[in-house]
Amino acid sequence: MKKIVFATNNSHKLEELRRLTKGKIEILSLSDINCHDNIPETADTLEGNALIKARWVKERYGYDCFADDTGLEVDALDGAPGVLSARYAGEGHDSQANMRLLLSNLGDNTNRKARFRTVIALIEGKEERLMDGVVEGEITQSPSGENGFGYDPIFKPMGFNVTFAEMGADEKNQISHRGRAVAKLLEYFSL
Ligand code: IMP
């Protein structure tokens, strides 16, 4: 089976990716290749950050790999938190604080339209390729559900009456931003 490094140590993302690619590709994590670096995400776009992470692994460790970067874009907040989604409420990747800040900034605004966008940067040999996946939806009034991670409890995908955090993993993966980006990756690999 084809093996490829996924440049992340986020256990939720790894679990999602391994589910999505089960039986098709073997996904190695950064710890599987003994990379414990804190890779800087200093670009101001999702594309830029995904490329930084993938190039870091390719240049320093020599593996073909892919990296993803995801942002939640809220229309009424001019696209925020966007590329800053992980550290919206400050460094520390605290999802509860991020959700609280987003709900408070949105207040009682009736325009709650938002989307998750994932960009995947793939590096194979000298070739670099970008793919993306988007899911449209809206921000709820308050968090609901225990599954998933990040902003899942306050994001209701369009056409559904539950948040991502109220869905099972397979149900979320079928329609999610990352699920859609990974579908393009598998299509590219002809898998
Ligand atoms: P990253 O930069 O790709 O790690 O993602 C940035 C932030 O977006 C994460 O820290 C999460 O808070 C959020 N995020 C990414 N993917 C998801 C998802 O599938 N559901 C909810 N939040 C997510």
Side-chain angles (χ1 to χ4, degrees):
M1 200 183 328
K2 186 178 178 72
K3 276 190 195 178
I4 192 154
V5 174
F6 179 26
T8 189
N9 273 323
N10 178 326
S11 57
H12 296 283
K13 286 190 185 178
L14 267 174
E15 139 91 28
E16 280 191 9
L17 257 287
R18 286 189 168 136
R19 238 171 212 275
L20 282 161
T21 57
K22 202 169 173 190
K24 295 180 174 162
I25 333 180
E26 188 181 335
I27 304 280
L28 303 177
S29 70
L30 289 179
S31 30
D32 290 333
I33 60 162
N34 264 320
C35 166
H36 302 286
D37 310 340
N38 195 5
I39 307 177
E41 297 187 29
T42 47
D44 55 9
T45 60
L46 299 176
E47 285 79 2
N49 278 335
L51 277 168
I52 289 177
K53 289 184 266 190
R55 285 177 184 154
W56 183 284
V57 171
K58 182 68 187 173
E59 284 163 13
R60 290 173 175 71
Y61 296 83
Y63 290 92
D64 284 350
C65 68
F66 68 93
D68 85 323
D69 204 47
T70 296
L72 174 62
E73 301 168 347
V74 180
D75 285 357
L77 302 177
D78 294 327
V83 72
L84 296 177
S85 293
R87 49 208 143 98
Y88 190 42
E91 290 300 335
H93 300 258
D94 179 341
S95 296
Q96 298 300 326
N98 286 340
M99 283 192 289
R100 266 198 309 274
L101 181 62
L102 197 153
L103 288 176
S104 131
N105 286 345
L106 204 47
D108 53 11
N109 202 313
T110 51
N111 177 8
R112 309 195 71 89
K113 269 187 68 175
R115 70 202 53 75
F116 273 114
R117 196 161 72 86
T118 289
V119 173
I120 287 181
L122 168 69
I123 304 188
E124 282 190 303
K126 290 195 172 358
E127 277 224 32
E128 295 185 342
R129 209 165 273 275
L130 291 169
M131 301 164 215
D132 72 349
V134 175
V135 58
E136 298 285 341
E138 60 179 47
I139 303 299
T140 55
Q141 297 289 343
S142 57
S144 189
E146 306 291 327
N147 303 330
F149 69 104
Y151 297 90
D152 279 347
I154 58 168
F155 183 82
K156 199 161 70 168
M158 193 185 277
F160 292 79
N161 249 331
V162 290
T163 67
F164 267 164
E166 293 171 301
M167 291 183 165
D170 289 331
E171 196 184 0
K172 174 186 170 189
N173 280 341
Q174 259 176 25
I175 57 161
S176 80
H177 44 302
R178 206 161 14 259
R180 287 177 174 160
V182 169
K184 290 185 187 168
L185 184 70
L186 292 177
E187 200 178 310
Y188 172 72
F189 288 145
S190 311
L191 291 170

